[in-house]
Amino acid sequence: MTPQRFTFPYGAAVRFSCDEGFVLHGDAESRCLASGAWHPPLPTCQPVQCLQPSGDKDLLIHSSKSRFRVNETLRFSCKHNGYQSLYSESTCSAKGTWIPPPTCKRCDACKKIPQIRKTFQCGVPLPELKTLLEVQKLYLEIQKLEKELNPTACG
């Protein structure tokens, strides 16, 4: 409250603000009336809350809560195969936003594998072709194991 006093004369105006982590509900300025009442009514400071994220159909929230207090943690993962969460946790900030934002990103392991078309070029002997396909299969299995061991990594 500005100015900070305990009594106010008729007509005095007072401005209100809230500490970080709280949001002002009501008007930021009020005036003392001749009756001793304030107009508009005095505001209150309510704790900032983050709403449960919505809109990302692949995001799986591990909580039944719809609102979270500042510094509370949200745990999440991604619903569909082929997706990995960039983070498995987000924290509610004093501004009412999630840090880092909970998101799912498509991971495409095939980008790291040489194009399969190149494998089937004319003239590749069958034993060599089998070896190339086995190498690609092993690479995919390694990628799968890496994702299981480190679910927050995008491979």
Side-chain angles (χ1 to χ4, degrees), residues 59-120:
L59 200 60
L60 181 60
I61 307 297
H62 300 282
S63 176
S64 59
K65 293 171 67 172
S66 60
R67 296 177 182 268
F68 297 79
R69 294 185 316 258
V70 172
N71 293 327
E72 272 192 300
T73 300
L74 171 76
R75 295 192 57 81
F76 65 92
S77 60
C78 296
K79 291 181 185 177
H80 301 293
N81 291 336
Y83 286 84
Q84 285 290 313
S85 53
L86 294 177
Y87 301 95
S88 58
E89 292 183 348
S90 286
T91 303
C92 180
S93 76
K95 294 181 180 177
T97 59
W98 290 105
I99 300 192
T103 57
C104 289
K105 179 182 175 190
R106 178 89 167 117
C107 292
D108 192 0
C110 292
K111 288 179 182 175
K112 293 186 176 182
I113 301 172
Q115 291 182 0
I116 293 175
R117 271 184 256 142
K118 291 180 181 176
T119 303
F120 294 99

Side-chain angles (χ1 to χ4, degrees), residues 139-154:
Y139 179 80
L140 289 171
E141 288 176 7
I142 290 169
Q143 290 295 92
K144 181 180 175 187
L145 285 171
E146 285 177 349
K147 286 180 184 180
E148 289 172 3
L149 293 173
N150 186 9
T152 60
C154 187

Side-chain angles (χ1 to χ4, degrees), residues 1-2 15-19 24 28 43 45:
M1 174 174 74
T2 308
R15 292 202 53 77
F16 298 92
S17 62
C18 297
D19 291 336
L24 189 73
C45 290

